[in-house]
């Protein structure tokens, strides 16, 4: 295979251990050129470790990674020039202004000073940083620092963007700016690999996803197929007497999956008549019910079922 035909990212048998802790356990991934790929998983699943290895920042215990046909372990410096990496923690230099941070990020990646000035102006415009261009990093809000960190990652116009929780903990304006940038990068043909806990965001932007749990890939699929195959609608009931309410529902619906967690009861509603039965049982009961809602199929629904949460 010619390297130009290879996926943007090819991960084969990736393993990483820290002493007795196994962070990654034989991860395989193939991320196509020009696609937005979401790596999903709960905290501690191994997502950040996988991204660090793909970017050549951490050595794997076993396995290999190729980025645009180039082996990361053998040619890490060359690969890193083609990646824009945005870690979970912001990497803003607090003593520098927004403009200076952006220019510095460009120069250390080999751009000329003139090119850095021009590119900084473009990036500030794209991320809404122009009005605060001369503000010091120490005086930026959390959302502004996040946008600046992302801006520093795209200064050298990398063909692959790797973003670790890009929109977590930011204000609504910053989130909109980040979402706008994702749309623009997609339109320009960039390949984007990113993690997020905002599943509605992933459902909007990702072409494909992989679910990582305890260092193992549970499933890899395109977004529509994953939701269709793994999600199922359910009815959620909130009650201080959840166990008693669930017992009544199980008597009325013996063949229906019903789970209880704390004060919440979930009733699978693949069958249309199930909702009618739930309403009837709750109406005839004198048990306290605080809330009832119908939850349609969604990425969140599919994700929770995949990792074994009802």
């Amino acid at each position: 295979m010619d390297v130009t035909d290879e996926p943007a990212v090819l991960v084969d048998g990736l393993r990483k251990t820290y002493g007795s802790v196994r962070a990654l356990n034989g991860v395989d991934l193939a991320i196509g050129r020009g696609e937005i790929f979401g790596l999903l998983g709960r905290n501690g699943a191994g997502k950040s470790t996988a991204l660090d290895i793909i970017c050549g920042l951490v050595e794997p215990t076993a396995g290999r990674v190729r980025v645009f046909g180039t082996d990361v372990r053998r040619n890490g410096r060359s690969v890193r020039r083609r990646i824009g990496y945005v870690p979970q923690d912001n990497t803003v230099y607090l003593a520098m202004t927004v403009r200076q941070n952006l220019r510095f990020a460009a120069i250390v990646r080999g751009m000329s000073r003139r090119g850095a000035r021009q590119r900084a102006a473009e990036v500030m415009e794209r991320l809404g940083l122009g009005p605060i261009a001369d503000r010091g990093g120490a005086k930026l809000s959390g959302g502004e620092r996040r946008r600046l960190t992302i801006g520093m990652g795209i200064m050298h116009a990398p063909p692959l963007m790797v973003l670790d929780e890009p929109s977590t903990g930011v204000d609504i304006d910053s989130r909109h700016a980040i979402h706008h940038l994702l749309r623009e990068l997609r339109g320009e043909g960039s390949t984007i690999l990113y993690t997020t806990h905002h599943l509605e965001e992933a459902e909007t932007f990702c072409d494909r996803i992989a679910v990582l749990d305890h260092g193992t890939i549970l499933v890899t699929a395109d977004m529509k197929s994953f939701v269709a195959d793994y999600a199922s609608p359910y009815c959620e009931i909130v009650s201080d007497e959840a166990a008693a309410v669930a017992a009544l529902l199980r008597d009325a619906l013996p063949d229906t999956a019903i789970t209880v967690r704390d004060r919440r009861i979930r009733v699978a509603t693949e069958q249309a008549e199930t909702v009618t039965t739930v309403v009837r049982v709750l109406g005839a009961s004198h048990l306290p019910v605080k809330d009832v809602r119908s939850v349609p199929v969604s990425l969140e629904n599919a994700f929770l079922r995949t990792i074994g949460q009802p």
Side-chain angles (χ1 to χ4, degrees), residues 245-263:
V245 171
L248 288 176
L249 292 171
R250 288 186 177 117
D251 286 342
L253 298 164
D255 298 322
T256 299
I258 299 173
T259 59
V260 181
R261 175 168 293 184
D262 299 325
R263 298 183 304 128

Side-chain angles (χ1 to χ4, degrees), residues 6-136:
E6 276 198 17
V9 179
L10 186 62
V11 177
D12 182 21
L14 200 60
R15 298 179 184 273
K16 181 63 180 178
T17 57
Y18 297 96
S20 61
V21 177
R22 184 172 293 176
L24 297 175
N25 186 25
V27 170
D28 298 316
L29 287 173
I31 301 168
R33 300 184 183 218
E35 78 171 331
I36 299 183
F37 191 96
L39 187 60
L40 309 181
R42 56 186 132 194
N43 289 336
K47 303 186 302 298
S48 295
T49 299
L51 297 191
D52 286 344
I53 293 173
I54 289 170
C55 292
L57 303 175
V58 171
E59 283 281 323
T61 303
R64 68 167 187 161
V65 178
R66 291 171 65 86
V67 173
F68 297 113
T70 300
D71 188 279
V72 172
R73 297 181 78 174
R74 295 178 180 176
N75 299 283
R77 180 176 296 181
S78 173
V79 168
R80 285 191 289 274
R81 289 174 180 168
R82 307 189 71 184
I83 296 176
Y85 177 50
V86 178
Q88 280 189 9
D89 297 325
N90 294 325
T91 56
V92 173
Y93 293 98
L94 302 183
M96 294 183 181
T97 66
V98 169
R99 193 191 314 273
Q100 289 168 339
N101 267 283
L102 292 171
R103 291 180 180 179
F104 178 75
I107 290 170
V108 298
R109 288 172 173 83
M111 292 182 67
S112 67
R113 293 186 179 275
R114 180 178 180 182
R117 286 196 301 270
Q118 294 175 339
R119 179 63 175 166
E122 295 171 4
V123 169
M124 286 190 291
E125 175 69 22
R126 297 180 76 167
L127 284 166
L129 296 170
I132 57 172
D134 297 312
R135 186 179 299 172

Side-chain angles (χ1 to χ4, degrees), residues 269-283:
T269 56
E270 288 96 340
Q271 304 298 321
E273 61 270 19
T274 300
V275 176
T276 303
T277 302
V278 168
V279 172
R280 176 177 57 78
V281 170
L282 295 180

Side-chain angles (χ1 to χ4, degrees), residues 83-263:
I83 296 176
Y85 177 50
V86 178
Q88 280 189 9
D89 297 325
N90 294 325
T91 56
V92 173
Y93 293 98
L94 302 183
M96 294 183 181
T97 66
V98 169
R99 193 191 314 273
Q100 289 168 339
N101 267 283
L102 292 171
R103 291 180 180 179
F104 178 75
I107 290 170
V108 298
R109 288 172 173 83
M111 292 182 67
S112 67
R113 293 186 179 275
R114 180 178 180 182
R117 286 196 301 270
Q118 294 175 339
R119 179 63 175 166
E122 295 171 4
V123 169
M124 286 190 291
E125 175 69 22
R126 297 180 76 167
L127 284 166
L129 296 170
I132 57 172
D134 297 312
R135 186 179 299 172
K139 296 182 179 180
L140 300 178
S141 70
E144 289 166 344
R145 289 185 189 181
R146 196 63 182 150
R147 278 185 279 158
L148 177 53
T149 298
I150 293 172
M152 293 167 70
I154 67 171
M155 277 297 291
H156 57 305
L160 171 63
M161 285 297 303
V162 178
L163 305 103
D164 198 354
E165 303 287 352
S167 59
T168 295
V170 303
D171 57 83
I172 190 67
D173 288 340
S174 293
R175 185 169 296 172
H176 283 164
I178 293 168
H179 289 179
H180 180 69
L181 177 65
L182 288 174
R183 292 187 183 95
E184 287 189 332
L185 292 173
R186 177 199 290 246
E188 294 166 5
S190 297
T191 302
I192 301 173
L193 166 61
Y194 88 125
T195 72
T196 181
H197 286 300
H198 296 289
L199 296 183
E200 72 282 359
E201 177 182 287
E203 193 165 10
T204 299
F205 291 107
C206 291
D207 302 304
R208 290 193 304 134
I209 59 95
V211 178
L212 184 67
D213 198 43
H214 295 98
T216 300
I217 296 290
L218 300 182
V219 62
T220 302
D222 69 79
M223 181 60 69
K224 290 183 179 179
S225 296
F226 177 66
V227 173
D229 292 344
Y230 288 88
S232 62
Y234 62 88
C235 178
E236 184 174 78
I237 302 135
V238 180
S239 172
D240 290 332
E241 301 288 341
V245 171
L248 288 176
L249 292 171
R250 288 186 177 117
D251 286 342
L253 298 164
D255 298 322
T256 299
I258 299 173
T259 59
V260 181
R261 175 168 293 184
D262 299 325
R263 298 183 304 128

